[in-house]
Amino acid sequence: LGESYSSTVENDFVGTKQFPQTGYAVNVDRASYSNIRRFLNNKSKPPADAVRIEEMLNYFNFSVDQKISDNQTFTANTSVTSCPWNPDNQLLYINLTAKKINLDKTPSSNLVFLIDVSGSMDMPNRLPLLQGAFKLLTDNLRAKDTVSIITYGGNVSVVLQPTSGNNKLKIIEAIENLKPAGSTPGESAIRLAYKYAKNTFIKGGNNRVIMATDGDFNVGQTSEEELEDLIGQQRKSGIFLTCLGVGMGNYKDSKLEALAKKGNGNFAYIDNQQEAEKVLVEEFAQTLYAVASDVFLSVKFNPDLVKDYRLIGFDNRQSAIDDTSSILEGGEVGSGHRLLSVFEIVPVNKFDTLPKQAEIAHLLLSFKTPENKKVTFLNLAAPFNYKHIENADSCLRFASAVIMFGSLIKQSSFFKNTSWDDIYLLALSGAEKNIQVQAEFLEMIQKAKKIYGNNKKKW
């Protein structure tokens, strides 16, 4: 395969006494899950580095009943349960819910569709899939929205000058007329897309480049580092970036992941028409309207209660570990998105005997809003509200199954005594039968079992 993924190092346990505090950028990327699905549907094993647990959790947008007042950007709650893969440990779940924008009141959008039409896109699951996706997106546009379309394949072309969202036929015609050919001058295309976004910049609006590609850049600056620098220069412009990945065989996940993270944006992988509808229709506001940027969560554990902790997912890219000068930057969160992050913790004493008011960790969420460029802070205590996993909220049982599923595919050293049957039963106990993506996940577990076999120790 000619696919590329960022080489990552899984987070290990950290001693609380020496390092009580940790932090990570919060984002709504969810590309890893649909990419893994593509491999399993093709009866093949995904590469270990294709598995990003936090993106798999993001995919499900787990519902937790939380009311948000008009003046709040986020609400947060936490839960503590037993750990289904290690009875000596516990799990701390942190659930953040972003406020939901009323779509009737959303600001005007200034969108630049940046579409790869190079020769490598000439397959049914590439350019035609994206054309369908962008037509779906066009149906949601309003008269006050503006769209430009730039393509790159052989050369960089402006195929649609800035056009009002009420001129849908003109936009759709431009999309339908795209034909794949030529090399992939990604660098110059990105520069032109941002130039157009700046020329039609709407102050107080939603300014965004939507880049759709298999990521196989082969002309100009092509390395992850060069592309990160290029996008990083645009980060302060107030223009967000959404990356839509497609394709297989030469799909460059590592490049798109790097671009989305540096470009104050989000990242999804579209493997079929249903996924296009999920990302650009059902989750339209989450994908396109940021309610917060530079979102960063700091967690400070109580060393009297927590001996060690391990952040699940958010694995470090090897290149960032090697670069001691790299700066941690926060992520972007879209309207109404729910984000679940999970720590595995080793208690000092047996946790289920602690008083309910005990505080096991303190959270500090920092972020900026489109209305206010100053950093806003949200403080939250994580109380000891322990429940055995069997008695926990159904969405937490399902989330734990997602973690175990991804970790087994990743061949994580922390999950050597877990079987596909264990995962299936846990997921089944937490699945909401009327939610299609959860029903599909149960099918994916069965597909993985056939591919990997069901012996408990698989490597």
Side-chain angles (χ1 to χ4, degrees):
L1 283 179
E3 303 194 10
S4 72
Y5 297 89
S6 296
S7 179
T8 56
V9 178
E10 209 172 359
N11 294 316
D12 206 339
F13 281 100
V14 175
T16 311
K17 277 199 169 158
Q18 193 173 4
F19 301 105
Q21 191 161 334
T22 188
Y24 50 98
V26 173
N27 62 62
V28 296
D29 293 345
R30 48 210 185 275
S32 180
Y33 183 84
S34 47
N35 190 30
I36 289 167
R37 178 176 63 203
R38 183 249 305 187
F39 276 97
L40 296 178
N41 284 341
N42 289 329
K43 298 182 172 59
S44 58
K45 295 180 179 181
D49 283 327
V51 179
R52 295 187 288 273
I53 304 286
E54 71 280 7
E55 291 184 19
M56 297 177 71
L57 291 171
N58 279 345
Y59 189 85
F60 292 95
N61 214 23
F62 292 107
S63 68
V64 174
D65 290 330
Q66 293 190 78
K67 299 285 185 286
I68 302 184
S69 61
D70 291 341
N71 62 345
Q72 285 181 299
T73 303
F74 289 99
T75 60
N77 72 359
T78 61
S79 307
V80 181
T81 73
S82 59
C83 176
W85 58 87
N86 187 337
D88 294 330
N89 293 351
Q90 283 81 32
L91 300 178
L92 168 65
Y93 305 83
I94 301 170
N95 198 303
L96 297 174
T97 301
K99 73 176 179 182
K100 201 168 191 172
I101 298 175
N102 181 336
L103 277 179
D104 297 331
K105 297 177 182 175
T106 52
S108 304
S109 287
N110 163 37
L111 305 177
V112 179
F113 297 172
L114 176 57
I115 305 175
D116 181 351
V117 294
S118 62
S120 66
M121 297 293 285
D122 191 10
M123 291 179 77
N125 65 349
R126 298 189 193 186
L127 184 59
L129 187 57
L130 288 174
Q131 286 171 300
F134 278 111
K135 286 196 284 185
L136 288 171
L137 175 54
T138 301
D139 285 338
N140 274 312
L141 298 176
R142 307 156 299 180
K144 64 180 182 178
D145 300 328
T146 302
V147 171
S148 312
I149 301 179
I150 293 170
T151 62
Y152 57 106
N155 56 20
V156 180
S157 304
V158 179
V159 299
L160 184 72
Q161 294 288 346
T163 300
S164 166
N166 66 352
N167 203 339
K168 290 182 173 45
L169 287 177
K170 185 178 180 183
I171 299 169
I172 287 171
E173 186 180 6
I175 293 167
E176 287 179 339
N177 286 339
L178 301 178
K179 299 285 186 291
S183 56
T184 319
E187 177 208 347
S188 51
I190 290 168
R191 290 187 189 278
L192 185 61
Y194 273 94
K195 182 181 175 185
Y196 260 69
K198 284 175 185 169
N199 289 345
T200 48
F201 190 87
I202 299 171
K203 194 170 182 185
N206 173 35
N207 298 280
R208 185 177 293 268
V209 172
I210 304 177
M211 182 179 193
T213 176
D214 57 15
D216 192 12
F217 307 136
N218 53 24
V219 176
Q221 293 177 332
T222 59
S223 74
E224 275 92 340
E225 291 75 17
E226 289 171 325
L227 291 166
E228 279 186 356
D229 288 345
L230 173 61
I231 290 291
Q233 292 162 19
Q234 312 291 346
R235 187 183 173 94
K236 294 188 175 70
S237 65
I239 298 165
F240 291 90
L241 176 69
T242 290
C243 290
L244 304 177
V246 292
M248 56 192 290
N250 68 331
Y251 168 56
K252 303 297 187 245
D253 178 277
S254 55
K255 288 187 170 67
L256 295 183
E257 182 202 6
L259 288 173
K261 284 190 165 57
K262 275 287 181 183
N264 225 357
N266 51 44
F267 172 32
Y269 177 82
I270 295 178
D271 58 334
N272 55 42
Q273 194 64 26
Q274 290 75 25
E275 186 64 16
E277 288 183 29
K278 179 177 183 286
V279 172
L280 294 175
V281 179
E282 293 167 33
E283 298 173 356
F284 176 74
Q286 293 172 17
T287 302
L288 294 192
Y289 292 100
V291 296
S293 59
D294 292 326
V295 186
F296 196 86
L297 184 64
S298 293
V299 182
K300 188 174 185 180
F301 286 95
N302 181 349
D304 293 334
L305 303 181
V306 179
K307 181 172 177 281
D308 304 292
Y309 62 86
R310 181 178 78 86
L311 177 60
I312 296 172
F314 299 91
D315 295 334
N316 291 300
R317 282 169 58 192
Q318 184 63 55
S319 58
I321 293 170
D322 294 341
D323 178 10
T324 54
S325 65
S326 64
I327 300 168
L328 285 172
E329 291 167 329
E332 177 220 38
V333 175
S335 166
H337 207 95
R338 302 183 185 99
L339 302 112
L340 186 68
S341 48
V342 185
F343 284 89
E344 183 177 354
I345 46 187
V346 181
V348 172
N349 299 305
K350 199 167 174 1
F351 248 29
D352 52 10
T353 59
L354 291 175
K356 293 285 181 192
Q357 65 271 26
E359 185 179 316
I360 64 165
H362 189 86
L363 316 181
L364 179 65
L365 184 71
S366 62
F367 57 92
K368 295 176 185 173
T369 62
E371 310 81 37
N372 183 359
K373 298 302 178 192
K374 288 184 179 175
V375 178
T376 302
F377 296 97
L378 174 67
N379 278 283
L380 179 76
F384 175 70
N385 51 7
Y386 177 90
K387 286 183 179 177
H388 193 277
I389 190 71
E390 290 175 4
N391 304 319
D393 190 285
S394 60
C395 81
L396 300 183
R397 292 199 298 279
F398 193 90
S400 298
V402 172
I403 291 169
M404 294 162 76
F405 175 80
S407 299
L408 225 56
I409 290 174
K410 200 173 181 66
Q411 302 188 358
S412 166
S413 60
F414 299 101
F415 289 79
K416 285 190 176 172
N417 292 312
T418 299
S419 73
W420 298 108
D421 287 344
D422 295 335
I423 297 169
Y424 184 83
L425 291 172
L426 185 59
L428 187 65
S429 77
E432 303 278 344
K433 303 298 184 291
N434 58 336
I435 299 178
Q436 194 272 330
V437 290
Q438 295 197 6
E440 181 191 60
F441 177 66
L442 293 170
E443 294 172 11
M444 282 174 63
I445 298 170
Q446 299 290 39
K447 287 176 183 177
K449 179 181 172 180
K450 284 180 182 172
I451 295 167
Y452 289 86
N454 200 30
N455 53 314
K456 283 214 171 195
K457 294 194 179 183
K458 294 176 187 54
W459 52 88

